[in-house]
Amino acid sequence: MLDKSIPYKSIIMRAGFDTLASVSIPALPEGYSFRLYRRGDAAHWAATEASVGEFASQEEALAYFQREFLPHEELLYQRNGYILAPDGTPVATATAWFEWSGNARRACLHWVSVRPQHQGLGLGRAIVAHAMRLLAQQEFGMDAYLHTQTWSHKAIGLYLRMGFHPLKDDPFFREKNDYFAARDLLLGVLPPETQRLFDEMSQ
């Protein structure tokens, strides 16, 4: 869940292609499984994203998916990943996407979420690793970027351990990079080991 008790500041992170290509995908808990997008998954994506507070409602999340992703549905079959619960319901998602700015293209890890009742099982690490491998396949040779925020400080430690580096001055096209303000806010919020990693890995 997002922690909106602290101010919102934007953070941009980057992982090198070698990190994407070599990441290990952990085994899932018994009964859980991976799969890629199937037609009709927009509703599952929206329910997952709304459940963690990324959108005010499932309807708002669905409208976003329809606007941003469905015009490129043919790409989702290779880029939009899910973890299914034992009953077959998608409960975690991440997308191996990209952004354009003029003629420049960047590989991006987008919209990582795990439904609250399935958190604490290692699904976050698993779906991020799955998406990183997809990025290595679909955006061969490219580094990957992600946009996160201070509200997602619990996820920042995961991204650091997966090899993503906070960037001090690299804008992410549409997203503002608030590195220094974000770092100041995260002091005392991140666990000491995560704060150490954040500082050591910043570029």
Side-chain angles (χ1 to χ4, degrees):
M1 297 291 288
L2 299 182
D3 177 8
K4 297 184 179 181
S5 68
I6 62 175
Y8 174 97
K9 294 296 178 182
S10 182
I11 301 167
I12 309 302
M13 305 180 77
R14 178 177 62 207
F17 173 75
D18 289 346
T19 298
L20 304 177
S22 62
V23 68
S24 297
I25 301 177
L28 295 173
E30 184 176 356
Y32 288 80
S33 59
F34 291 106
R35 76 160 166 78
L36 290 170
Y37 173 86
R38 295 178 183 173
R39 183 163 293 177
D41 277 339
H44 296 300
W45 185 92
T48 300
E49 296 297 339
S51 74
V52 298
E54 289 285 1
F55 294 90
S57 67
Q58 188 170 336
E59 292 74 21
E60 182 181 324
L62 183 60
Y64 178 93
F65 191 96
Q66 292 171 336
R67 181 177 69 252
E68 297 291 329
F69 289 131
L70 281 188
H72 315 284
E73 187 176 28
E74 72 281 1
L75 301 179
L76 294 174
Y77 294 98
Q78 292 81 41
R79 294 173 176 270
N80 181 216
Y82 295 89
I83 294 176
L84 310 185
D87 67 359
T89 303
V91 296
T93 184
T95 302
W97 207 240
F98 54 88
E99 294 279 359
W100 286 94
S101 179
N103 293 324
R105 175 174 171 138
R106 284 182 172 177
C108 304
L109 175 63
H110 269 345
W111 296 108
V112 177
S113 293
V114 179
R115 297 197 194 194
Q117 61 270 38
H118 297 270
Q119 293 177 7
L121 301 174
L123 302 188
R125 183 180 184 88
I127 197 63
V128 168
H130 184 257
M132 290 170 69
R133 293 292 288 273
L134 291 176
L135 281 167
Q137 296 165 11
Q138 300 299 321
E139 303 290 336
F140 186 80
M142 296 181 67
D143 295 348
Y145 293 76
L146 67 83
H147 168 252
T148 188
Q149 60 274 327
T150 47
W151 290 353
S152 296
H153 57 82
K154 290 183 179 179
I156 290 173
L158 170 62
Y159 298 142
L160 292 167
R161 292 188 294 275
M162 300 295 285
F164 280 88
H165 297 258
L167 299 180
K168 294 179 179 179
D169 58 6
D170 195 318
F172 185 64
F173 301 146
R174 294 183 295 178
E175 302 292 347
K176 182 181 178 183
N177 187 11
D178 297 318
Y179 171 85
F180 292 100
R183 183 191 178 280
D184 289 345
L185 281 170
L186 292 172
L187 287 172
V189 175
L190 295 178
E193 177 61 18
T194 303
Q195 184 67 55
R196 183 186 65 78
L197 281 175
F198 188 91
D199 292 339
E200 290 181 354
M201 295 180 68
S202 294
Q203 298 178 337

